[in-house]
C-alpha cells in the first residue's frame, strides 16, 4: 500500500496538539504550500529586515512597524491596538511561545492575530504551571521538550495571503534556557494594570561562558536544520499529493510543484 499524503500531512501538522485539528488538503492548498515554501524568507532573529527596508533601494516609507506579541500582552490586546491605530504599515509580529505567559493557547492566539501578522518568531518552549498562570522555559525547537504545535503554526502562517505570502519574515529565535514568568492569570480581567513581575531572562555564568557560547552555536545550527527538514517534509507531501492526483490537476489546468530543496 502506498503512502497517503493527506493522512501523513495531518499526522505531521497535528504534532503536540491535544486533539486532531482537521485540515483541508487539496490541490489548491498543496500548490500554494509548495510555492510558499520555495519562496520562504528565513532570518536569524533580529530586526534586520526592518533595518534592511530602511536602506538601499527601498525608501523609509516602505518599512513596516510591528505590534510585538510579548509575554505581557494577549493577542486580543494587540489586535485591539492595531484596529485603533488602523494604519497599513502597522502590523503584528506573532511569537511561537509568548502567548503562554499571557494565559493563552498557541493556535487560538495565532488565529486571532492572523489577519494582522506579517512577521513571526520561531522558537520552542515548554509551559511551567505557576499558580493561576503559566511561565515558559525555552527549549530546543522540535525536541521532545518542545510543547508547541510548531508544525501546525508554521503551516497556517505559510498559507496566509491569497495571491502572495502575507508573512514576509520568519525569524529563527532559538532561546534555550530562557525563562519568563507568568504575567497574566486565569482570575484576572481584561484591561488590567499588570502588577510588577520579575523580568524574563536567560541566565549567563561568565565562568562558564565558553561552553554556553559553543552550545548557542550548536542550538542555532539545530534549529536551522530542523526547520529546513520540516519544510522539506511538507513540500514532499504536497508534491506527492500532486503526483497522485495528476488527472485532476491536468483537468483544472494547474501546475505541479517545484522540486523540494
Amino acid at each position: 500500500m502506498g503512502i497517503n499524503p493527506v493522512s501523513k500531512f495531518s499526522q505531521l501538522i497535528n504534532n503536540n496538539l491535544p486533539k486532531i485539528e482537521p485540515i483541508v488538503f487539496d490541490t489548491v492548498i498543496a500548490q500554494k504550500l509548495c510555492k510558499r515554501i520555495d519562496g520562504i524568507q528565513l532570518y536569524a532573529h533580529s530586526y534586520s529586515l526592518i533595518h534592511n527596508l530602511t536602506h538601499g533601494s527601498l525608501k523609509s516609507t516602505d518599512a513596516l512597524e510591528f505590534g510585538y506579541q510579548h509575554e505581557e500582552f494577549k493577542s486580543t490586546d494587540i489586535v485591539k491596538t492595531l484596529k485603533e491605530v488602523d494604519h497599513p504599515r502597522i502590523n503584528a509580529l506573532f511569537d511561537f511561545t509568548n502567548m503562554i505567559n499571557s494565559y493563552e493557547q498557541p493556535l487560538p492566539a495565532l488565529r486571532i492575530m492572523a489577519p494582522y501578522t506579517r512577521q513571526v518568531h520561531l522558537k520552542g518552549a515548554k509551559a511551567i504551571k505557576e499558580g493561576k498562570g503559566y511561565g515558559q522555559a525555552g527549549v530546543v525547537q522540535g525536541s521532545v521538550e518542545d510543547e508547541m504545535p510548531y508544525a501546525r503554526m508554521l503551516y497556517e502562517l505559510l498559507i496566509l495571503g491569497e495571491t502572495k505570502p502575507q508573512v514576509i519574515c520568519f525569524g529563527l529565535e532559538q532561546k534555550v534556557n530562557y525563562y519568563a514568568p507568568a504575567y497574566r492569570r486565569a482570575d484576572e480581567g481584561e484591561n488590567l494594570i499588570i502588577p510588577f513581575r520579575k523580568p524574563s531572562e536567560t541566565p549567563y555564568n561568565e565562568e562558564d561562558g565558553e561552553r554556553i557560547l559553543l552550545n548557542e552555536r550548536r542550538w542555532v545550527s539545530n534549529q536551522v536544520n530542523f526547520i529546513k527538514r520540516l519544510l522539506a517534509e511538507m513540500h514532499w507531501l504536497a508534491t506527492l499529493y500532486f503526483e497522485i492526483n495528476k488527472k485532476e490537476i491536468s483537468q483544472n489546468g494547474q501546475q505541479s510543484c517545484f522540486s523540494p530543496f
Side-chain angles (χ1 to χ4, degrees):
M1 182 179 294
I3 296 173
N4 183 330
V6 176
S7 176
K8 290 286 290 184
F9 193 82
S10 180
Q11 182 181 355
L12 173 67
I13 69 170
N14 280 294
N15 186 44
N16 281 350
L17 288 173
K19 62 179 182 179
I20 297 297
E21 287 273 342
I23 61 167
V24 178
F25 194 60
D26 55 21
T27 55
V28 174
I29 292 295
Q31 184 180 41
K32 187 177 186 180
L33 184 62
C34 282
K35 290 182 177 179
R36 297 292 168 83
I37 291 173
D38 284 330
I40 190 171
Q41 299 292 310
L42 294 174
Y43 293 85
H45 171 234
S46 70
Y47 297 97
S48 58
L49 179 64
I50 297 175
H51 297 162
N52 289 338
L53 283 170
T54 59
H55 297 280
S57 61
L58 296 178
K59 301 176 182 178
S60 59
T61 51
D62 296 315
L64 301 171
E65 297 295 335
F66 295 89
Y68 177 32
Q69 184 204 18
H70 213 266
E71 295 101 340
E72 302 93 337
F73 303 111
K74 290 182 178 290
S75 55
T76 50
D77 297 332
I78 298 169
V79 168
K80 180 181 178 182
T81 301
L82 292 173
K83 285 182 176 179
E84 290 177 353
V85 172
D86 191 26
H87 194 285
R89 291 198 293 110
I90 310 297
N91 298 271
L93 188 156
F94 177 78
D95 187 283
F96 263 38
T97 71
N98 284 352
M99 77 293 293
I100 293 173
N101 308 82
S102 59
Y103 203 75
E104 289 188 296
Q105 293 294 319
L107 281 182
L110 184 153
R111 289 164 183 169
I112 290 170
M113 291 179 61
Y116 304 90
T117 297
R118 293 278 277 162
Q119 287 202 36
V120 178
H121 282 171
L122 284 72
K123 65 181 193 281
K126 60 180 179 180
I128 304 170
K129 187 75 169 71
E130 296 179 350
K132 295 183 179 180
Y134 288 90
Q136 67 163 301
V139 301
V140 174
Q141 189 173 31
S143 68
V144 293
E145 293 181 297
D146 187 4
E147 297 176 347
M148 298 295 100
Y150 46 78
R152 183 77 195 206
M153 290 193 290
L154 183 57
Y155 165 74
E156 295 201 5
L157 289 161
L158 278 168
I159 63 173
L160 286 178
E162 291 301 320
T163 59
K164 60 182 181 179
Q166 179 179 307
V167 178
I168 60 173
C169 173
F170 291 82
L172 303 180
E173 186 184 9
Q174 189 84 295
K175 299 180 74 172
V176 182
N177 296 326
Y178 167 82
Y179 166 75
Y183 284 101
R184 306 290 283 268
R185 309 282 198 257
D187 57 352
E188 293 174 332
E190 300 296 326
N191 301 319
L192 75 157
I193 297 176
I194 302 174
F196 175 78
R197 320 282 201 208
K198 290 183 179 180
S200 57
E201 61 177 351
T202 303
Y204 176 77
N205 180 353
E206 191 169 345
E207 294 180 357
D208 202 22
E210 185 175 347
R211 183 186 65 82
I212 292 173
L213 292 176
L214 286 172
N215 279 336
E216 288 282 351
R217 292 179 65 180
R218 176 167 59 86
W219 291 328
V220 166
S221 179
N222 286 346
Q223 185 182 32
V224 170
N225 290 328
F226 169 71
I227 293 299
K228 289 185 72 174
R229 287 196 306 270
L230 180 57
L231 290 169
E233 187 170 3
M234 287 184 179
H235 197 298
W236 172 68
L237 288 170
T239 303
L240 182 60
Y241 184 89
F242 266 94
E243 292 299 318
I244 293 173
N245 295 274
K246 277 183 177 179
K247 183 177 180 180
E248 178 188 347
I249 295 167
S250 177
Q251 290 174 345
N252 293 337
Q254 295 175 301
Q255 301 295 318
S256 62
C257 287
F258 301 106
S259 300
F261 51 75

